[in-house]
Amino acid sequence: MSEKIEVEPTPIQRNLNDVAIELTKIYLNLSDGLENPEDLFTLYKKAYKTAADVKYEQY
């Protein structure tokens, strides 16, 4: 009895925090870094807002 089971791949679900962290990392890799460590939180907030805007713009 040889049954062939086919499974559809499940796409990876990423939440807004994952996307914001990834965007922050990309920005930091492409820039010369941050002059002030407190700017990291501001950068993360902007990345999070960008991710949220893109996500909810689809609806």
Side-chain angles (χ1 to χ4, degrees):
M1 182 169 143
S2 68
E3 292 183 28
K4 189 172 186 179
I5 299 174
E6 293 186 27
V7 179
E8 292 289 324
T10 304
I12 297 172
Q13 298 294 319
R14 300 179 70 196
N15 62 34
L16 292 176
N17 186 54
D18 293 337
V19 175
I21 289 173
E22 225 19 68
L23 289 173
T24 302
K25 286 180 180 179
I26 291 170
Y27 178 86
L28 290 172
N29 286 336
L30 294 176
S31 71
D32 293 332
L34 300 172
E35 293 179 18
N36 187 353
E38 286 83 28
D39 292 340
L40 182 60
F41 183 63
T42 303
L43 177 60
Y44 171 80
K45 286 193 308 186
K46 288 180 182 178
Y48 190 92
K49 181 172 180 348
T50 300
D53 288 347
V54 170
K55 178 179 180 177
Y56 294 116
E57 186 177 278
Q58 297 173 7
Y59 299 108

